[in-house]
Amino acid sequence: MLKMMGRLCFAHKTALAPMVRVGTLPMRLLALDYGADIVYCEELIDIKMAQCERVVNDVLETVDFVAPDERVMFRTCSKEKGRVVFQMGTADPERALVVAKLVENDVAAVDVNMGCPKEYSTKGGMGSALLSDPEKIEAILSTLVNGISKPVTCKIRILPTLEDTVNLVKRIEKTGVAAIAVHGRMKEERPRHPVHCDYIQAVAESVSIPVIANGGSSDIVKTFEDIEKFRAAAGASSVMLARAAMWNPSIFRQQGALSVEEVMEDYIRYAVRYDNNPFNTKYCLCQMLRDRVESPFGKRLHAAQTNEEICEVFGMTDFYNKTKAELEARKAALQTNGDQTEQPTHEDDLITMPVRFERRDYPPQITPKMYLLEWSRKEKLDQPVYETEQRTQDRAFQSTVIIDNKKYRSALWEKSKKFAEQAAAIVCLRTLGLPEGRIGEEHSGLVNKRKRDDKKCAALDDSESAARKRHTSEVPQEEEEEMICRTKVVNGVCGQTTR
Ligand SMILES: Cc1cc2nc3c(=O)[nH]c(=O)nc-3n(C[C@H](O)[C@H](O)[C@H](O)COP(=O)(O)O)c2cc1C
């Protein structure tokens, strides 16, 4: 019973349908503002999502799921909390669960796409390919229902016969899903074909969970009132709109739709506020322009490369500058406060802090690890030992540095082992109130000593120094010299690093 409390309910709702490229944060927020009850994100593929790291973006006030190449795959914020459904493309129950668990606390429900007929989906066994593999459907949905605390739903297309469609949804209902969205077309049918309301109705009559009717955009739903007509014609509990909302999301507005011009400006405000990818912004605006995309205005929009240029096209430069200035100010304030508010957490002999190693905060030849090593020498302690773990779900790293019988670790996971070690060193240095070599930090005297040591080391082995020059990495060359020097000077005793 507790598990049910506060859960998103899918009965008697209107929803923004999942749409690749369209269903990103600005469009979802806009649809909610205009009156949609639930918003689905674009389909995100499990393999790509599984590699993402969850990052709290304090400047934008969002939670971002960031791929190893730094692309934000999914961005969400508190404005849509409780109403955003994460749609996933998957053909693998275990991988689906890994992704569902990754996003579970930031979304209201998880949906599995079982309707996409495009080859890129079906060839991997995803999308509508699942419709002919009910065992796989059951495995995926049951694994998710049993594995996460949020509601699980799926979106299907209808099968060639009514009987097969009804049998399939009955099997789906038994997995414990909270609702089923039914796109009333078969996988071979195109958007121009009429939607089969009779199939959706038969499905709705055969199950007791809410059925969400979908597919009515072009032939039935043209105004807000038509949403109810479609719902009644399909005998469904709820309605989900894709194209009608993509063309003008104010279709969800009870008081009547707004002009596309007004809607585009509202869209741009969210796109700038949440730093939306400009190509995505442009794509969504072009969908709203529809056949005017070839007009002189459409061409100017098409030529824009950044959100700033898009704002120029719409005469919104002042808004752009003001919003950017606000975001910059928040960033600056966070940086100042961050320095003061980072408090270490102590647990037995382990001390943690949420810190990240930002390469740009340190001069090219300086790293926190170097500072920690210097300090250990000065204090006549054993050298710091770094132990690193790699997480399987996203291959991120977390290091613990052990020094003076204490362990220090950053609570945040890093995308490289070297950065994770630097972050651990920062935790140790900040906890002990020691300098770490950051730009603008008060001079500690350690750097001078460091330079003297480096000169000594540089003289040791010319051939090794030549080899070093060939080697490039994200950690300064000087630190690598440090390791090599230490190996030589301290007779092979090197900061031991394990995974
Ligand atoms: C641009 C676009 C992208 C879409 N992407 C997805 C998607 O990511 N996941 C999905 O289940 N369906 C996707 N669809 C299908 C829609 O969700 C919906 O099932 C279909 O358009 C029929 O609904 P409509 O008549 O309201 O447009 C997409 C449709 C469009 C037009």
Side-chain angles (χ1 to χ4, degrees):
M1 191 62 201
L2 255 181
K3 208 182 165 193
M4 306 299 285
M5 276 168 62
R7 278 161 69 94
L8 179 62
C9 162
F10 288 85
H12 319 299
K13 298 285 177 355
T14 53
L16 173 73
M19 281 183 279
V20 166
R21 296 182 81 183
V22 176
T24 48
L25 184 59
M27 180 60 94
R28 299 199 303 267
L29 295 179
L30 208 52
L32 288 172
D33 282 355
Y34 292 144
D37 301 303
I38 298 173
V39 286
Y40 283 65
C41 75
E42 60 178 333
E43 177 194 45
L44 291 158
I45 305 300
D46 60 356
I47 297 179
K48 288 191 187 152
M49 277 305 294
Q51 296 174 348
C52 286
E53 184 185 357
R54 179 185 183 276
V55 178
V56 176
N57 186 328
D58 290 319
V59 178
L60 296 178
E61 297 172 299
T62 57
V63 173
D64 298 344
F65 291 85
V66 185
D69 65 2
E70 305 281 314
R71 271 181 56 197
V72 176
M73 301 300 294
F74 176 56
R75 169 166 285 165
T76 183
C77 68
S78 59
K79 257 174 109 69
E80 64 175 1
K81 208 173 166 88
R83 294 180 292 172
V84 61
V85 180
F86 179 89
Q87 194 195 52
M88 170 173 8
T90 187
D92 183 295
E94 294 315 316
R95 202 160 47 220
L97 184 59
V98 167
V99 174
K101 283 192 154 307
L102 180 68
V103 299
E104 181 178 11
N105 295 328
D106 299 299
V107 300
V110 172
D111 180 79
V112 178
N113 183 358
M114 302 185 175
C116 182
K118 300 265 164 63
E119 204 198 324
Y120 61 74
S121 253
T122 52
K123 75 169 186 249
M126 298 182 291
S128 61
L130 285 170
L131 295 175
S132 46
D133 193 350
E135 284 80 23
K136 178 77 76 60
I137 291 181
E138 284 169 341
I140 293 172
L141 294 177
S142 318
T143 305
L144 290 176
V145 168
N146 296 326
I148 63 170
S149 60
K150 295 288 167 68
V152 175
T153 61
C154 67
K155 177 166 174 279
I156 63 163
R157 279 186 177 234
I158 57 173
L159 298 178
T161 71
L162 235 170
E163 196 190 353
D164 286 348
T165 310
V166 166
N167 286 339
L168 178 68
V169 292
K170 282 184 171 165
R171 285 180 76 164
I172 289 176
E173 183 182 29
K174 288 204 183 103
T175 63
V177 291
I180 307 178
V182 183
H183 177 184
R185 290 189 180 84
M186 291 160 212
K187 66 176 191 242
E188 301 76 18
E189 290 180 309
R190 301 278 63 89
R192 63 177 183 280
H193 293 119
V195 58
H196 299 272
C197 286
D198 52 339
Y199 274 63
I200 306 179
Q201 189 168 20
V203 167
E205 282 164 6
S206 66
V207 293
S208 54
I209 50 175
V211 166
I212 309 167
N214 171 243
S217 273
S218 54
D219 34 356
I220 304 177
V221 183
K222 294 192 170 51
T223 65
F224 175 80
E225 287 72 31
D226 295 338
I227 298 176
E228 173 53 24
K229 281 186 203 150
F230 179 40
R231 194 202 60 73
S237 176
S238 297
V239 167
M240 169 190 272
L241 298 180
R243 287 164 299 159
M246 169 177 81
W247 295 323
N248 186 338
S250 70
I251 182 106
F252 292 112
R253 235 173 137 251
Q254 200 169 0
Q255 311 90 309
L258 301 170
S259 73
V260 168
E261 286 69 25
E262 199 174 327
V263 171
M264 287 196 290
E265 288 187 11
D266 286 348
Y267 180 90
I268 291 170
R269 282 191 196 93
Y270 275 133
V272 174
R273 165 63 186 82
Y274 289 103
D275 197 22
N276 197 45
N277 177 306
F279 294 100
N280 183 250
T281 303
K282 204 161 74 171
Y283 178 81
C284 292
L285 292 170
C286 286
Q287 302 309 311
M288 294 184 214
L289 274 183
R290 298 186 74 180
D291 46 6
R292 281 185 293 157
V293 82
E294 289 304 323
S295 67
F297 183 81
K299 284 183 179 153
R300 278 178 61 212
L301 172 62
H302 211 262
Q305 297 292 307
T306 60
N307 282 334
E308 185 175 12
E309 287 172 12
I310 293 169
C311 283
E312 263 170 51
V313 175
F314 281 81
M316 295 174 70
T317 302
D318 285 351
F319 168 80
Y320 179 85
N321 290 337
K322 185 169 164 279
T323 309
K324 277 284 155 188
E326 281 166 11
L327 293 176
E328 283 302 323
R330 187 176 307 147
K331 188 175 174 186
L334 282 166
Q335 270 165 0
T336 318
N337 293 342
D339 293 347
Q340 293 158 3
T341 56
E342 253 164 24
Q343 289 301 329
T345 309
H346 296 253
E347 206 185 307
D348 300 328
D349 59 347
L350 174 69
I351 295 154
T352 52
M353 231 189 229
V355 297
R356 232 175 245 301
F357 173 64
E358 298 280 358
R359 181 63 268 174
R360 62 176 176 269
D361 290 347
Y362 298 82
Q365 305 298 313
I366 300 293
T367 66
K369 274 179 76 180
M370 290 163 58
Y371 267 68
L372 188 58
L373 180 71
E374 293 281 356
W375 179 77
S376 68
R377 284 179 177 165
K378 206 170 119 232
E379 297 297 313
K380 307 217 173 350
L381 296 169
D382 287 343
Q383 291 184 10
V385 173
Y386 292 87
E387 290 178 352
T388 304
E389 251 184 81
Q390 189 177 23
R391 213 163 44 180
T392 47
Q393 83 228 46
D394 58 2
R395 305 208 300 272
F397 297 89
Q398 190 178 50
S399 290
T400 306
V401 59
I402 304 155
I403 187 160
D404 199 14
N405 296 323
K406 289 215 172 59
K407 295 177 181 169
Y408 302 86
R409 175 192 297 164
S410 171
L412 308 179
W413 291 72
E414 293 276 359
K415 58 182 181 296
S416 85
K417 177 167 161 279
K418 287 173 181 170
F419 275 43
E421 289 176 354
Q422 297 295 354
I426 295 172
V427 173
C428 176
L429 292 162
R430 288 190 192 168
T431 307
L432 299 174
L434 298 169
E436 62 192 68
R438 256 195 313 176
I439 294 167
E441 187 178 71
E442 221 169 87
H443 187 62
S444 71
L446 288 170
V447 187
N448 284 344
K449 184 176 177 305
R450 173 78 258 116
K451 280 183 184 150
R452 282 199 305 277
D453 282 358
D454 289 339
K455 275 190 197 142
K456 244 192 314 184
C457 293
L460 278 174
D461 190 335
D462 279 351
S463 60
E464 198 170 73
S465 135
R468 271 178 245 145
K469 277 187 192 134
R470 286 196 299 273
H471 190 104
T472 52
S473 96
E474 59 214 315
V475 168
Q477 194 179 335
E478 184 159 349
E479 195 202 343
E480 291 182 66
E481 288 177 6
E482 162 75 40
M483 293 302 171
I484 297 161
C485 291
R486 199 146 32 93
T487 310
K488 278 187 172 295
V489 174
V490 195
N491 194 22
V493 182
C494 194
Q496 176 196 337
T497 311
T498 52
R499 234 174 237 196

